[in-house]
Amino acid sequence: ARVILVDGRLAAWIARGDRLLLVALPQDEPDRSRAGRALARELVNIAMRAPEGSRGWLVEQINGVPAVNDPAAAFLIEVGFAPTAMGLQLRVARSRA
């Protein structure tokens, strides 16, 4: 399990296995969008640091509902996660050295 902080505040808890997220974003704009975008960018950074051979990340649930149905899904889609039948999928392209 991991946590993601944005501006020193808990933005998300990632469950072991990386398929379940609990997301806590501010209620009011523009803080909500700023924190949501920062969270989504950090998820991409985590995926990019995954061990070689890992080709992406599938988030199945956010806050106990299918990932695509949670309002935070919009921020993930904005940075490259794609809605699929199983959740939000991020494909990580790795350059060959």
Side-chain angles (χ1 to χ4, degrees):
R2 309 177 236 214
V3 297
I4 296 175
L5 303 177
V6 174
D7 296 333
R9 293 187 168 173
L10 178 67
W13 177 79
I14 306 168
R16 183 181 297 166
D18 295 339
R19 295 184 186 270
L20 309 175
L21 302 180
L22 293 179
V23 174
L25 298 177
Q27 291 293 325
D28 298 323
E29 292 293 353
D31 294 336
R32 180 176 181 78
S33 290
R34 188 176 46 75
R37 287 185 179 103
L39 165 63
R41 285 190 304 269
E42 183 57 23
L43 293 176
V44 171
N45 289 336
I46 290 169
M48 296 299 289
R49 293 189 304 262
E52 194 64 39
S54 183
R55 294 187 352 226
W57 190 344
L58 175 66
V59 176
E60 293 176 355
Q61 290 187 2
I62 300 174
N63 296 332
V65 300
V68 296
N69 294 340
D70 190 86
F75 301 114
L76 277 65
I77 291 168
E78 193 175 283
V79 296
F81 281 81
T84 71
M86 297 192 60
L88 293 171
Q89 177 76 50
L90 179 68
R91 296 275 182 213
V92 177
R94 301 213 184 266
S95 60
R96 297 201 186 273

